[in-house]
Short mmCIF file of all heavy atoms in Angstrom, two decimals:
data_model
loop_
_atom_site.label_atom_id
_atom_site.label_comp_id
_atom_site.label_asym_id
_atom_site.label_seq_id
_atom_site.Cartn_x
_atom_site.Cartn_y
_atom_site.Cartn_z
N ALA A 4 0.85 -1.18 0.00
CA ALA A 4 0.00 0.00 0.00
C ALA A 4 0.89 1.24 0.00
O ALA A 4 1.92 1.28 0.67
CB ALA A 4 -0.91 0.01 1.21
N PRO A 5 0.51 2.27 -0.73
CA PRO A 5 1.32 3.50 -0.75
C PRO A 5 1.30 4.20 0.61
O PRO A 5 0.33 4.12 1.35
CB PRO A 5 0.65 4.35 -1.82
CG PRO A 5 -0.72 3.81 -1.97
CD PRO A 5 -0.67 2.36 -1.57
N SER A 6 2.39 4.86 0.91
CA SER A 6 2.50 5.60 2.16
C SER A 6 2.09 7.05 1.94
O SER A 6 2.24 7.58 0.85
CB SER A 6 3.94 5.58 2.67
OG SER A 6 4.33 4.27 2.96
N THR A 7 1.57 7.65 2.97
CA THR A 7 1.21 9.06 2.94
C THR A 7 1.96 9.77 4.05
O THR A 7 1.97 9.30 5.18
CB THR A 7 -0.31 9.25 3.14
OG1 THR A 7 -1.00 8.51 2.14
CG2 THR A 7 -0.69 10.71 3.05
N LEU A 8 2.58 10.86 3.72
CA LEU A 8 3.29 11.67 4.70
C LEU A 8 2.42 12.85 5.08
O LEU A 8 1.91 13.55 4.22
CB LEU A 8 4.62 12.16 4.10
CG LEU A 8 5.45 13.10 4.96
CD1 LEU A 8 5.93 12.38 6.22
CD2 LEU A 8 6.62 13.62 4.16
N TYR A 9 2.24 13.06 6.39
CA TYR A 9 1.48 14.19 6.90
C TYR A 9 2.41 15.09 7.69
O TYR A 9 2.59 14.90 8.89
CB TYR A 9 0.36 13.72 7.83
CG TYR A 9 -0.70 12.88 7.19
CD1 TYR A 9 -0.62 11.49 7.18
CD2 TYR A 9 -1.81 13.47 6.60
CE1 TYR A 9 -1.60 10.72 6.60
CE2 TYR A 9 -2.80 12.70 6.02
CZ TYR A 9 -2.69 11.32 6.03
OH TYR A 9 -3.67 10.56 5.46
N PRO A 10 3.08 16.04 7.06
CA PRO A 10 3.92 16.94 7.85
C PRO A 10 3.04 17.89 8.66
O PRO A 10 2.12 18.51 8.12
CB PRO A 10 4.74 17.70 6.80
CG PRO A 10 3.99 17.57 5.53
CD PRO A 10 3.11 16.36 5.65
N VAL A 11 3.27 17.94 9.95
CA VAL A 11 2.44 18.75 10.83
C VAL A 11 3.35 19.58 11.73
O VAL A 11 4.30 19.07 12.29
CB VAL A 11 1.53 17.86 11.71
CG1 VAL A 11 0.67 18.71 12.62
CG2 VAL A 11 0.67 16.96 10.86
N CYS A 12 3.07 20.85 11.83
CA CYS A 12 3.81 21.70 12.77
C CYS A 12 2.81 22.64 13.44
O CYS A 12 1.72 22.86 12.94
CB CYS A 12 4.92 22.47 12.07
SG CYS A 12 4.35 23.56 10.78
N SER A 13 3.21 23.13 14.58
CA SER A 13 2.30 24.02 15.31
C SER A 13 2.37 25.42 14.73
O SER A 13 3.39 25.86 14.22
CB SER A 13 2.66 24.03 16.79
OG SER A 13 3.99 24.44 16.98
N SER A 14 1.25 26.10 14.81
CA SER A 14 1.24 27.49 14.38
C SER A 14 1.60 28.37 15.58
O SER A 14 1.55 27.93 16.72
CB SER A 14 -0.13 27.86 13.82
OG SER A 14 -1.13 27.66 14.79
N LYS A 15 1.95 29.58 15.30
CA LYS A 15 2.37 30.48 16.36
C LYS A 15 1.30 30.58 17.45
O LYS A 15 0.13 30.82 17.16
CB LYS A 15 2.65 31.85 15.77
CG LYS A 15 3.30 32.80 16.73
CD LYS A 15 3.71 34.08 16.06
CE LYS A 15 4.42 34.97 17.05
NZ LYS A 15 4.87 36.20 16.42
N GLY A 16 1.72 30.35 18.67
CA GLY A 16 0.80 30.47 19.80
C GLY A 16 -0.07 29.26 20.04
O GLY A 16 -0.88 29.24 20.94
N ARG A 17 0.09 28.22 19.24
CA ARG A 17 -0.73 27.01 19.39
C ARG A 17 0.19 25.82 19.60
O ARG A 17 1.05 25.54 18.79
CB ARG A 17 -1.58 26.79 18.14
CG ARG A 17 -2.50 25.61 18.27
CD ARG A 17 -3.48 25.56 17.12
NE ARG A 17 -4.30 24.38 17.25
CZ ARG A 17 -4.57 23.56 16.25
NH1 ARG A 17 -4.12 23.81 15.05
NH2 ARG A 17 -5.31 22.50 16.45
N ARG A 18 -0.02 25.10 20.68
CA ARG A 18 0.80 23.94 21.00
C ARG A 18 0.33 22.72 20.22
O ARG A 18 -0.85 22.43 20.15
CB ARG A 18 0.73 23.66 22.50
CG ARG A 18 1.71 22.64 22.98
CD ARG A 18 1.67 22.56 24.48
NE ARG A 18 2.22 23.76 25.06
CZ ARG A 18 3.39 23.81 25.71
NH1 ARG A 18 4.09 22.73 25.85
NH2 ARG A 18 3.83 24.94 26.21
N LEU A 19 1.28 22.03 19.63
CA LEU A 19 0.98 20.81 18.88
C LEU A 19 0.75 19.66 19.85
O LEU A 19 1.51 19.48 20.79
CB LEU A 19 2.16 20.49 17.95
CG LEU A 19 2.00 19.31 17.03
CD1 LEU A 19 0.86 19.53 16.04
CD2 LEU A 19 3.30 19.08 16.26
N THR A 20 -0.32 18.90 19.64
CA THR A 20 -0.63 17.75 20.50
C THR A 20 -0.91 16.52 19.63
O THR A 20 -1.17 16.63 18.43
CB THR A 20 -1.86 18.02 21.37
OG1 THR A 20 -3.01 18.13 20.52
CG2 THR A 20 -1.71 19.27 22.21
N ALA A 21 -0.90 15.36 20.27
CA ALA A 21 -1.23 14.13 19.56
C ALA A 21 -2.68 14.20 19.06
O ALA A 21 -3.00 13.69 17.98
CB ALA A 21 -1.03 12.93 20.48
N GLN A 22 -3.55 14.84 19.81
CA GLN A 22 -4.95 14.97 19.38
C GLN A 22 -5.05 15.82 18.12
O GLN A 22 -5.84 15.51 17.22
CB GLN A 22 -5.81 15.57 20.49
CG GLN A 22 -7.29 15.62 20.15
CD GLN A 22 -7.90 14.25 19.92
OE1 GLN A 22 -7.77 13.35 20.75
NE2 GLN A 22 -8.57 14.07 18.79
N ASN A 23 -4.23 16.88 18.00
CA ASN A 23 -4.22 17.69 16.77
C ASN A 23 -3.90 16.82 15.57
O ASN A 23 -4.53 16.94 14.50
CB ASN A 23 -3.17 18.80 16.81
CG ASN A 23 -3.38 19.83 17.89
OD1 ASN A 23 -2.42 20.27 18.51
ND2 ASN A 23 -4.61 20.25 18.14
N ILE A 24 -2.91 15.95 15.73
CA ILE A 24 -2.51 15.07 14.63
C ILE A 24 -3.62 14.06 14.34
O ILE A 24 -3.96 13.80 13.19
CB ILE A 24 -1.18 14.37 14.96
CG1 ILE A 24 -0.08 15.43 15.05
CG2 ILE A 24 -0.84 13.33 13.90
CD1 ILE A 24 1.23 14.91 15.59
N LEU A 25 -4.21 13.48 15.38
CA LEU A 25 -5.29 12.52 15.20
C LEU A 25 -6.46 13.14 14.45
O LEU A 25 -7.10 12.50 13.62
CB LEU A 25 -5.75 11.98 16.55
CG LEU A 25 -6.84 10.92 16.54
CD1 LEU A 25 -6.41 9.71 15.71
CD2 LEU A 25 -7.20 10.51 17.95
N ASP A 26 -6.74 14.41 14.69
CA ASP A 26 -7.81 15.11 13.98
C ASP A 26 -7.54 15.17 12.47
O ASP A 26 -8.47 15.18 11.67
CB ASP A 26 -7.99 16.53 14.52
CG ASP A 26 -8.54 16.55 15.94
OD1 ASP A 26 -9.07 15.53 16.41
OD2 ASP A 26 -8.41 17.61 16.59
N ILE A 27 -6.26 15.16 12.09
CA ILE A 27 -5.89 15.22 10.67
C ILE A 27 -5.91 13.84 10.02
O ILE A 27 -6.43 13.67 8.92
CB ILE A 27 -4.49 15.85 10.51
CG1 ILE A 27 -4.53 17.31 10.95
CG2 ILE A 27 -3.99 15.74 9.07
CD1 ILE A 27 -3.16 17.93 11.12
N VAL A 28 -5.37 12.83 10.72
CA VAL A 28 -5.21 11.51 10.11
C VAL A 28 -6.36 10.55 10.39
O VAL A 28 -6.40 9.47 9.83
CB VAL A 28 -3.87 10.86 10.53
CG1 VAL A 28 -2.70 11.72 10.11
CG2 VAL A 28 -3.84 10.58 12.02
N ASP A 29 -7.30 10.91 11.24
CA ASP A 29 -8.48 10.13 11.60
C ASP A 29 -8.22 8.91 12.49
O ASP A 29 -9.05 8.56 13.29
CB ASP A 29 -9.27 9.68 10.37
CG ASP A 29 -9.85 10.84 9.59
OD1 ASP A 29 -10.28 11.82 10.23
OD2 ASP A 29 -9.86 10.79 8.36
N THR A 30 -7.10 8.23 12.31
CA THR A 30 -6.77 7.07 13.15
C THR A 30 -5.26 6.87 13.17
O THR A 30 -4.57 7.21 12.21
CB THR A 30 -7.46 5.78 12.66
OG1 THR A 30 -7.13 4.71 13.55
CG2 THR A 30 -7.05 5.42 11.24
N PHE A 31 -4.76 6.33 14.27
CA PHE A 31 -3.35 5.99 14.36
C PHE A 31 -3.13 4.50 14.08
O PHE A 31 -2.01 4.02 14.12
CB PHE A 31 -2.79 6.31 15.75
CG PHE A 31 -2.56 7.78 15.99
CD1 PHE A 31 -3.05 8.39 17.14
CD2 PHE A 31 -1.84 8.55 15.11
CE1 PHE A 31 -2.81 9.73 17.39
CE2 PHE A 31 -1.60 9.90 15.34
CZ PHE A 31 -2.09 10.48 16.48
N ASP A 32 -4.20 3.76 13.81
CA ASP A 32 -4.09 2.32 13.59
C ASP A 32 -3.06 2.01 12.51
O ASP A 32 -3.18 2.45 11.36
CB ASP A 32 -5.44 1.71 13.20
CG ASP A 32 -6.44 1.73 14.34
OD1 ASP A 32 -6.02 1.98 15.49
OD2 ASP A 32 -7.63 1.52 14.08
N GLU A 33 -2.05 1.26 12.90
CA GLU A 33 -1.00 0.79 12.01
C GLU A 33 -0.30 1.88 11.21
O GLU A 33 0.24 1.64 10.14
CB GLU A 33 -1.53 -0.31 11.10
CG GLU A 33 -1.99 -1.51 11.88
CD GLU A 33 -2.37 -2.68 11.01
OE1 GLU A 33 -1.89 -2.78 9.87
OE2 GLU A 33 -3.15 -3.50 11.48
N LYS A 34 -0.31 3.11 11.72
CA LYS A 34 0.44 4.20 11.10
C LYS A 34 1.75 4.36 11.86
O LYS A 34 1.78 4.28 13.08
CB LYS A 34 -0.35 5.51 11.16
CG LYS A 34 -1.51 5.54 10.19
CD LYS A 34 -2.11 6.93 10.17
CE LYS A 34 -3.11 7.14 9.08
NZ LYS A 34 -4.20 6.25 9.01
N GLU A 35 2.84 4.58 11.14
CA GLU A 35 4.10 4.86 11.79
C GLU A 35 4.16 6.35 12.08
O GLU A 35 3.81 7.17 11.24
CB GLU A 35 5.27 4.43 10.92
CG GLU A 35 5.38 2.94 10.84
CD GLU A 35 6.71 2.50 10.30
OE1 GLU A 35 7.74 2.95 10.83
OE2 GLU A 35 6.69 1.71 9.36
N ILE A 36 4.60 6.68 13.27
CA ILE A 36 4.64 8.07 13.72
C ILE A 36 6.10 8.45 13.96
O ILE A 36 6.80 7.79 14.73
CB ILE A 36 3.83 8.24 15.01
CG1 ILE A 36 2.38 7.83 14.76
CG2 ILE A 36 3.92 9.67 15.51
CD1 ILE A 36 1.59 7.60 16.02
N TYR A 37 6.56 9.50 13.29
CA TYR A 37 7.91 10.00 13.46
C TYR A 37 7.83 11.40 14.06
O TYR A 37 7.18 12.27 13.51
CB TYR A 37 8.63 10.08 12.11
CG TYR A 37 8.86 8.73 11.47
CD1 TYR A 37 7.91 8.19 10.63
CD2 TYR A 37 10.02 8.01 11.73
CE1 TYR A 37 8.10 6.94 10.04
CE2 TYR A 37 10.22 6.77 11.14
CZ TYR A 37 9.26 6.24 10.30
OH TYR A 37 9.46 5.02 9.72
N LEU A 38 8.50 11.58 15.19
CA LEU A 38 8.51 12.88 15.86
C LEU A 38 9.94 13.35 16.04
O LEU A 38 10.83 12.56 16.35
CB LEU A 38 7.86 12.78 17.24
CG LEU A 38 6.38 12.41 17.28
CD1 LEU A 38 5.99 12.06 18.70
CD2 LEU A 38 5.56 13.55 16.76
N CYS A 39 10.15 14.63 15.86
CA CYS A 39 11.45 15.23 16.08
C CYS A 39 11.25 16.55 16.82
O CYS A 39 10.41 17.35 16.42
CB CYS A 39 12.16 15.46 14.75
SG CYS A 39 13.80 16.17 14.93
N GLY A 40 11.98 16.75 17.89
CA GLY A 40 11.84 17.98 18.65
C GLY A 40 12.61 17.91 19.94
O GLY A 40 13.30 16.94 20.23
N PRO A 41 12.48 18.93 20.78
CA PRO A 41 13.14 18.95 22.08
C PRO A 41 12.65 17.79 22.96
O PRO A 41 11.51 17.32 22.81
CB PRO A 41 12.73 20.29 22.69
CG PRO A 41 12.22 21.11 21.55
CD PRO A 41 11.71 20.14 20.53
N ALA A 42 13.51 17.33 23.86
CA ALA A 42 13.19 16.18 24.71
C ALA A 42 11.86 16.33 25.44
O ALA A 42 11.09 15.37 25.54
CB ALA A 42 14.33 15.94 25.69
N GLY A 43 11.57 17.51 25.96
CA GLY A 43 10.31 17.72 26.68
C GLY A 43 9.09 17.51 25.80
O GLY A 43 8.08 16.94 26.22
N MET A 44 9.17 17.95 24.56
CA MET A 44 8.06 17.76 23.62
C MET A 44 7.88 16.28 23.29
O MET A 44 6.77 15.76 23.29
CB MET A 44 8.32 18.53 22.33
CG MET A 44 7.16 18.44 21.34
SD MET A 44 7.58 19.06 19.70
CE MET A 44 8.04 17.55 18.89
N ILE A 45 9.01 15.59 23.07
CA ILE A 45 8.95 14.17 22.75
C ILE A 45 8.33 13.38 23.91
O ILE A 45 7.46 12.53 23.70
CB ILE A 45 10.36 13.62 22.42
CG1 ILE A 45 10.92 14.31 21.18
CG2 ILE A 45 10.33 12.11 22.27
CD1 ILE A 45 10.13 14.12 19.92
N GLU A 46 8.75 13.66 25.13
CA GLU A 46 8.20 12.97 26.30
C GLU A 46 6.70 13.22 26.42
O GLU A 46 5.92 12.32 26.70
CB GLU A 46 8.93 13.38 27.57
CG GLU A 46 8.48 12.63 28.80
CD GLU A 46 8.66 11.12 28.68
OE1 GLU A 46 9.62 10.67 28.04
OE2 GLU A 46 7.81 10.39 29.23
N SER A 47 6.28 14.46 26.21
CA SER A 47 4.86 14.79 26.26
C SER A 47 4.08 14.01 25.20
O SER A 47 3.02 13.45 25.48
CB SER A 47 4.67 16.30 26.05
OG SER A 47 3.30 16.63 25.99
N PHE A 48 4.62 13.95 23.99
CA PHE A 48 3.95 13.20 22.92
C PHE A 48 3.88 11.72 23.23
O PHE A 48 2.87 11.06 22.97
CB PHE A 48 4.64 13.41 21.58
CG PHE A 48 3.98 14.46 20.75
CD1 PHE A 48 4.39 15.77 20.81
CD2 PHE A 48 2.93 14.14 19.91
CE1 PHE A 48 3.78 16.76 20.06
CE2 PHE A 48 2.31 15.11 19.15
CZ PHE A 48 2.73 16.43 19.23
N ARG A 49 4.96 11.16 23.77
CA ARG A 49 4.94 9.73 24.13
C ARG A 49 3.79 9.43 25.08
O ARG A 49 3.06 8.47 24.90
CB ARG A 49 6.26 9.33 24.79
CG ARG A 49 7.38 9.15 23.85
CD ARG A 49 8.62 8.74 24.61
NE ARG A 49 9.56 8.10 23.71
CZ ARG A 49 10.79 7.83 24.02
NH1 ARG A 49 11.26 8.13 25.20
NH2 ARG A 49 11.59 7.24 23.14
N GLU A 50 3.63 10.26 26.09
CA GLU A 50 2.55 10.09 27.05
C GLU A 50 1.18 10.22 26.38
O GLU A 50 0.28 9.43 26.63
CB GLU A 50 2.69 11.10 28.19
CG GLU A 50 3.89 10.86 29.07
CD GLU A 50 4.13 11.97 30.07
OE1 GLU A 50 3.28 12.88 30.20
OE2 GLU A 50 5.20 11.94 30.72
N GLN A 51 1.03 11.25 25.53
CA GLN A 51 -0.24 11.47 24.86
C GLN A 51 -0.60 10.30 23.93
O GLN A 51 -1.75 9.87 23.89
CB GLN A 51 -0.19 12.76 24.04
CG GLN A 51 -0.10 14.02 24.86
CD GLN A 51 0.12 15.23 23.99
OE1 GLN A 51 -0.59 15.43 23.02
NE2 GLN A 51 1.12 16.03 24.31
N LEU A 52 0.39 9.80 23.19
CA LEU A 52 0.15 8.69 22.28
C LEU A 52 -0.25 7.43 23.04
O LEU A 52 -1.16 6.70 22.63
CB LEU A 52 1.37 8.44 21.40
CG LEU A 52 1.66 9.53 20.38
CD1 LEU A 52 3.03 9.30 19.73
CD2 LEU A 52 0.57 9.62 19.32
N LEU A 53 0.41 7.17 24.16
CA LEU A 53 0.04 6.02 24.98
C LEU A 53 -1.39 6.15 25.50
O LEU A 53 -2.15 5.18 25.50
CB LEU A 53 1.01 5.85 26.15
CG LEU A 53 2.39 5.33 25.80
CD1 LEU A 53 3.31 5.36 27.03
CD2 LEU A 53 2.31 3.93 25.23
N GLU A 54 -1.77 7.37 25.92
CA GLU A 54 -3.14 7.60 26.40
C GLU A 54 -4.17 7.37 25.29
O GLU A 54 -5.29 6.96 25.57
CB GLU A 54 -3.28 9.03 26.94
CG GLU A 54 -2.56 9.25 28.25
CD GLU A 54 -2.58 10.71 28.68
OE1 GLU A 54 -3.28 11.53 28.06
OE2 GLU A 54 -1.87 11.04 29.65
N LEU A 55 -3.76 7.61 24.04
CA LEU A 55 -4.67 7.39 22.90
C LEU A 55 -4.62 5.95 22.40
O LEU A 55 -5.27 5.61 21.42
CB LEU A 55 -4.33 8.36 21.76
CG LEU A 55 -4.64 9.83 22.03
CD1 LEU A 55 -4.05 10.71 20.93
CD2 LEU A 55 -6.14 10.06 22.14
N GLY A 56 -3.82 5.10 23.07
CA GLY A 56 -3.78 3.69 22.72
C GLY A 56 -2.85 3.33 21.57
O GLY A 56 -2.97 2.25 21.00
N VAL A 57 -1.92 4.22 21.24
CA VAL A 57 -0.99 3.94 20.14
C VAL A 57 0.06 2.94 20.60
O VAL A 57 0.69 3.12 21.64
CB VAL A 57 -0.32 5.24 19.64
CG1 VAL A 57 0.73 4.94 18.59
CG2 VAL A 57 -1.36 6.19 19.10
N ASN A 58 0.26 1.88 19.82
CA ASN A 58 1.26 0.87 20.12
C ASN A 58 2.66 1.47 19.95
O ASN A 58 2.95 2.09 18.93
CB ASN A 58 1.07 -0.31 19.17
CG ASN A 58 1.93 -1.49 19.53
OD1 ASN A 58 3.08 -1.36 19.92
ND2 ASN A 58 1.36 -2.68 19.39
N LYS A 59 3.53 1.27 20.94
CA LYS A 59 4.88 1.83 20.90
C LYS A 59 5.66 1.43 19.66
O LYS A 59 6.52 2.17 19.20
CB LYS A 59 5.67 1.40 22.13
CG LYS A 59 5.29 2.07 23.40
CD LYS A 59 6.20 1.58 24.52
CE LYS A 59 5.83 2.19 25.84
NZ LYS A 59 6.73 1.75 26.90
N LYS A 60 5.37 0.26 19.11
CA LYS A 60 6.17 -0.21 17.97
C LYS A 60 5.97 0.64 16.72
O LYS A 60 6.75 0.56 15.79
CB LYS A 60 5.89 -1.69 17.67
CG LYS A 60 4.57 -1.97 17.01
CD LYS A 60 4.44 -3.46 16.74
CE LYS A 60 3.20 -3.76 15.95
NZ LYS A 60 3.10 -5.16 15.60
N TYR A 61 4.94 1.48 16.71
CA TYR A 61 4.69 2.36 15.56
C TYR A 61 5.24 3.77 15.74
O TYR A 61 5.05 4.62 14.89
CB TYR A 61 3.19 2.44 15.26
CG TYR A 61 2.60 1.13 14.80
CD1 TYR A 61 1.70 0.45 15.58
CD2 TYR A 61 2.96 0.59 13.58
CE1 TYR A 61 1.16 -0.77 15.17
CE2 TYR A 61 2.44 -0.62 13.15
CZ TYR A 61 1.54 -1.29 13.96
OH TYR A 61 1.03 -2.48 13.54
N SER A 62 5.94 4.02 16.84
CA SER A 62 6.42 5.36 17.14
C SER A 62 7.94 5.43 17.05
O SER A 62 8.64 4.59 17.59
CB SER A 62 5.99 5.78 18.54
OG SER A 62 4.59 5.77 18.66
N ARG A 63 8.43 6.47 16.38
CA ARG A 63 9.86 6.73 16.27
C ARG A 63 10.11 8.17 16.70
O ARG A 63 9.33 9.07 16.37
CB ARG A 63 10.36 6.56 14.83
CG ARG A 63 10.04 5.23 14.21
CD ARG A 63 10.94 4.13 14.77
NE ARG A 63 10.66 2.85 14.14
CZ ARG A 63 9.82 1.95 14.62
NH1 ARG A 63 9.16 2.19 15.72
NH2 ARG A 63 9.64 0.80 14.00
N TYR A 64 11.21 8.38 17.41
CA TYR A 64 11.49 9.70 17.96
C TYR A 64 12.93 10.11 17.71
O TYR A 64 13.82 9.27 17.71
CB TYR A 64 11.27 9.72 19.47
CG TYR A 64 9.92 9.20 19.89
CD1 TYR A 64 9.75 7.89 20.26
CD2 TYR A 64 8.82 10.04 19.89
CE1 TYR A 64 8.51 7.40 20.65
CE2 TYR A 64 7.57 9.57 20.27
CZ TYR A 64 7.43 8.26 20.65
OH TYR A 64 6.19 7.79 21.01
N GLU A 65 13.13 11.38 17.54
CA GLU A 65 14.47 11.95 17.51
C GLU A 65 14.39 13.26 18.29
O GLU A 65 13.65 14.16 17.94
CB GLU A 65 14.91 12.24 16.07
CG GLU A 65 16.31 12.82 16.00
CD GLU A 65 16.78 13.05 14.58
OE1 GLU A 65 16.25 12.42 13.65
OE2 GLU A 65 17.68 13.89 14.41
N ASP A 66 15.14 13.30 19.39
CA ASP A 66 15.12 14.54 20.17
C ASP A 66 16.41 15.30 19.94
O ASP A 66 17.42 14.74 19.51
CB ASP A 66 14.86 14.28 21.65
CG ASP A 66 15.94 13.47 22.32
OD1 ASP A 66 16.78 12.89 21.63
OD2 ASP A 66 15.94 13.41 23.57
N PHE A 67 16.38 16.56 20.19
CA PHE A 67 17.56 17.39 20.03
C PHE A 67 17.58 18.44 21.13
O PHE A 67 16.57 18.72 21.76
CB PHE A 67 17.61 18.03 18.64
CG PHE A 67 16.45 18.95 18.33
CD1 PHE A 67 16.45 20.26 18.76
CD2 PHE A 67 15.37 18.49 17.59
CE1 PHE A 67 15.38 21.10 18.49
CE2 PHE A 67 14.31 19.32 17.31
CZ PHE A 67 14.31 20.64 17.74
N LYS A 68 18.74 19.02 21.31
CA LYS A 68 18.89 20.08 22.29
C LYS A 68 19.08 21.39 21.56
O LYS A 68 19.81 21.48 20.59
CB LYS A 68 20.11 19.82 23.18
CG LYS A 68 19.93 18.60 24.05
CD LYS A 68 21.14 18.40 24.93
CE LYS A 68 20.90 17.15 25.76
NZ LYS A 68 22.04 16.79 26.55
N LEU A 69 18.39 22.41 22.04
CA LEU A 69 18.56 23.74 21.48
C LEU A 69 19.82 24.36 22.07
O LEU A 69 20.04 24.30 23.27
CB LEU A 69 17.33 24.60 21.79
CG LEU A 69 16.01 24.09 21.21
CD1 LEU A 69 14.87 24.96 21.71
CD2 LEU A 69 16.06 24.11 19.70
N LEU A 70 20.64 24.93 21.25
CA LEU A 70 21.88 25.54 21.72
C LEU A 70 21.70 27.01 22.00
O LEU A 70 21.00 27.72 21.43
CB LEU A 70 23.01 25.34 20.70
CG LEU A 70 23.31 23.88 20.39
CD1 LEU A 70 24.38 23.81 19.30
CD2 LEU A 70 23.82 23.16 21.63
#
């Protein structure tokens, strides 16, 4: 099946959440999720995704430090 990429970023003054992304993609079932951002954002997303029932095996993360 073809893959679809959904690039999502927060707009000024609006915090990006797992629910924001779910509203766009309709379901996380068997979708791979790639997140990149500061460690605090990644940890927050991990918690949110778990609360939404997303299986950890579909989540990939890359955190970075702001200099």
Side-chain angles (χ1 to χ4, degrees):
S6 297
T7 303
L8 176 65
Y9 296 92
V11 180
C12 60
S13 58
S14 59
K15 189 173 183 178
R17 183 171 177 226
R18 190 173 290 250
L19 184 63
T20 66
Q22 185 62 52
N23 297 140
I24 296 171
L25 183 58
D26 292 343
I27 294 168
V28 300
D29 295 323
T30 182
F31 285 130
D32 292 347
E33 298 187 24
K34 287 188 170 56
E35 289 195 52
I36 301 164
Y37 295 89
L38 296 168
C39 181
M44 183 192 95
I45 297 299
E46 184 58 35
S47 175
F48 263 92
R49 283 181 159 169
E50 292 172 9
Q51 292 173 50
L52 291 170
L53 287 174
E54 288 173 9
L55 291 171
V57 175
N58 188 321
K59 286 183 182 182
K60 74 178 186 176
Y61 294 113
S62 301
R63 306 285 182 266
Y64 308 95
E65 181 177 339
D66 64 347
F67 61 82
K68 293 181 181 175
L69 299 174
L70 301 176

